[in-house]
């Protein structure tokens, strides 16, 4: 990852009170996409709405408090037991979105081999297949006529193409995986107005899946379960780090109203789990919000007279490991000790497929979640081809030239 010392000047919104937003639509009559034909049934009993979806030999259930119910049962059916995995685990279906540790791919689109600014080795479809459930990246608009582009710091250094193309690929995966909830976190690197992001999201088809929260900010107790998000087909959470306006666009979430982060672009292998962004957030408020642990180690180098940071790729077997100093596992445990037993909601990593064994970061998440991880499920074709070797990173002439033109700040 390339990093300069430019400072973000955008102000963060401060929410002194709760803002109530329009709630997303209710349960559909069938699921969308994939090969599963799941017919839904809604049962209201004792003030609770239960939505079930049966598909062949699997079953998915969700419940939601119904404040408008008279409490009269419209069905006496007993609540069934869930057997359908959500995000890969049946145990997750009844858990709130805010009560699960998910692996996040730092700069997900930037998997261009040999480019100094690359943060991943595998493409986004493979990332999702392997179990990544948050996709994080920077977005830039080089000029007034340009579409939003996926560029790392500057489009002269790394350009992964239009945002709409990437989001379309994600939507195609979401179509084919109807029991998964995905989070997208976009870095608004040029501090654009949020309306710039609506067209690419709508054109990609993801608009049909976006989750709209009932309030801003959302505390950890207010998030729905994965089953409810899946059965209502509102299973893509989209966040913007700067300039989000949920009163105007309720489904484009303000990241820092809903979660906080540990120090980003870290060069300290201690990986402290201190609250960093937004600044000056009190401990009690922090305990009520989700949080993301930035666990992508960088190393300082000099190129063309600039001090920059690049991923410490030779340390990935330790950084992404389950145990040991500077490991992802150690950070997860340290965070739990520091934040009243709560592990990170999102663990942001570089080259997620590399570690003490292939995909070891998923073992860290499984440990935090109290579930069993199948090591053979990771990681794409890269696992067989290159084993546990770190990706080759070379500083090309283009990268050096690009570094000299890094005039934009890097958010993460």
């Amino acid at each position: 990852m390339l990093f300069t010392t430019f400072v973000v000047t955008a102000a963060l919104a401060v929410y002194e009170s709760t803002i109530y937003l329009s709630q997303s639509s209710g349960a559909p009559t069938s699921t969308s996409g994939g090969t599963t034909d799941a017919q839904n049934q809604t049962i209201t009993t004792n003030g609770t709405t239960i939505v079930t979806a049966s598909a062949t030999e699997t079953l998915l259930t969700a419940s939601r408090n119904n404040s408008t119910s008279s409490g009269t049962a419209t069905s006496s059916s007993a609540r069934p037991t869930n057997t359908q995995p959500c995000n890969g685990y049946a145990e997750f279906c009844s858990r709130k979105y805010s009560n699960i540790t998910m692996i996040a791919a730092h700069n997900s689109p930037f998997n261009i081999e040999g480019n100094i600014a690359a943060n991943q080795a595998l493409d986004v479809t493979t990332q999702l297949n392997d179990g990544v459930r948050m996709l994080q990246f920077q977005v830039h608009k080089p000029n007034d006529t340009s579409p939003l582009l996926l560029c790392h710091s500057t489009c002269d250094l790394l350009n992964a193409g239009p945002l709409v193309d990437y989001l379309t690929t994600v939507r195609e995966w979401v179509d084919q995986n109807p029991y998964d909830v995905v989070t997208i976190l976009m870095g608004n690197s040029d501090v654009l107005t949020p309306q710039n992001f609506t067209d690419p999201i709508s054109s990609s088809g993801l608009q049909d899946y976006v989750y709209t929260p009932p309030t801003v900010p959302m505390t950890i107790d207010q998030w729905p379960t994965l089953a409810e998000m899946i059965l209502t087909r509102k299973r893509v959470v989209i966040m913007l780090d700067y300039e989000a306006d949920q009163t105007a666009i309720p489904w484009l979430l303000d990241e820092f109203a809903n979660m906080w982060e540990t120090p980003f672009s870290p060069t300290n292998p201690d990986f402290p789990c201190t609250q960093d962004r937004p600044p000056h957030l009190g401990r009690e408020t922090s305990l009520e919000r989700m949080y993301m642990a930035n666990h992508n180690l960088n190393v300082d180098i000099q190129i063309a007279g600039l001090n920059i940071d690049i991923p410490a790729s030779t340390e990935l077997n330790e950084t992404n490991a389950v145990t040991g100093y500077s490991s992802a596992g150690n950070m997860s445990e340290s965070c739990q000790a520091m934040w009243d037993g709560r592990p990170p909601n999102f663990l942001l990593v570089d080259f997620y497929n590399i570690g003490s064994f292939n995909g070891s970061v998923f073992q860290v998440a499984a440990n935090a979640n109290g579930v069993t991880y199948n090591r053979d499920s990771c990681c794409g074709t890269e696992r067989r081809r290159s084993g546990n070797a770190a990706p080759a990173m070379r500083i090309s002439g283009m990268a050096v030239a690009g570094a000299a033109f890094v005039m934009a700040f890097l958010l993460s």
Side-chain angles (χ1 to χ4, degrees), residues 140-208:
H140 288 264
K141 187 176 177 65
N143 55 64
D144 291 341
T145 60
S146 169
L148 293 185
L149 298 176
L150 300 167
C151 298
H152 199 305
S153 302
T154 168
C155 294
D156 294 317
L157 178 64
L158 186 154
N159 185 346
L163 171 63
V164 65
D165 293 350
Y166 173 87
L167 294 181
T168 299
T169 301
V170 174
R171 192 266 306 158
E172 290 170 350
W173 188 92
V174 170
D175 281 346
Q176 296 301 315
N177 294 270
Y179 296 105
D180 287 271
V181 175
V182 176
T183 303
I184 297 171
L185 174 56
M186 297 184 290
N188 187 4
S189 302
D190 295 332
V191 198
L192 304 168
T193 60
Q195 286 75 16
N196 283 274
F197 294 85
T198 57
D199 281 347
I201 293 169
S202 177
S203 297
S204 72
L206 278 176
Q207 180 79 55
D208 294 337

Side-chain angles (χ1 to χ4, degrees), residues 8 10 22 85 119 142 165 173 190 211 248 266 319 326 368 373:
V8 177
S22 299
N119 296 96
D165 293 350
W173 188 92
D190 295 332
Y211 172 74
T319 304
S326 84
Y373 174 62

